[in-house]
Amino acid sequence: MSLLIINFIERSTNNIVNFFNQKGLNVILQTTEDDEPMDIKILGVVCTGSEQLITKKHQLLPDYIFDLNVPIFCICFSAQLIVEKFGGTFSKQKMYKETYLDDDTLV
């Protein structure tokens, strides 16, 4: 089984790959232009961040990752892309605000 990482030119991608390799996971590193990996059992998908701005023309998450029926973990820029894909909205905040769940867990 493999972990699929969709790379948006994040500087820390090598650290992410090394982390999962150290945990014994096979990692497939792809860009948004690469074709879906065939005949490989995918355990989950990690989509990296980027220095791109969501408000400008940008790459999209590959549609096939939503058909894999596996967990998808998106970091920063790619999290904004997934919000946009499913019709959500977001805006730039002027300052950081801590958000808590009902059980006082910081999110």
Side-chain angles (χ1 to χ4, degrees):
M1 299 223 300
S2 299
L3 182 69
L4 176 62
I5 297 180
I6 305 295
N7 185 21
F8 284 94
I9 319 301
E10 171 64 33
R11 288 186 220 149
S12 62
T13 299
N14 286 338
N15 293 337
I16 295 169
V17 170
N18 289 337
F19 173 82
F20 287 113
N21 280 334
Q22 290 172 0
K23 301 295 182 192
L25 288 170
N26 180 46
V27 174
I28 301 168
L29 184 60
Q30 293 194 315
T31 68
T32 56
E33 287 87 33
D34 291 329
D35 293 331
E36 176 180 0
M38 303 304 267
D39 301 323
I40 297 172
K41 176 69 174 157
I42 302 295
L43 177 67
V45 178
V46 174
C47 301
T48 68
S50 172
E51 294 180 3
Q52 296 181 63
L53 298 174
I54 196 70
T55 55
K56 304 204 176 187
K57 186 178 178 186
H58 51 74
Q59 299 166 313
L60 300 175
L61 294 169
D63 286 332
Y64 72 82
I65 67 171
F66 301 103
D67 298 328
L68 294 173
N69 199 28
V70 297
I72 301 171
F73 178 74
C74 295
I75 301 169
C76 197
F77 174 75
S78 59
Q80 294 175 38
L81 289 177
I82 206 166
V83 166
E84 186 178 72
K85 175 166 182 60
F86 290 103
T89 60
F90 49 86
S91 61
K92 183 176 181 180
Q93 300 297 310
K94 292 182 181 176
M95 61 184 293
Y96 173 77
K97 179 181 175 187
E98 292 182 346
T99 304
Y100 293 88
L101 300 175
D102 291 338
D103 65 356
D104 293 329
T105 302
L106 177 65
V107 291

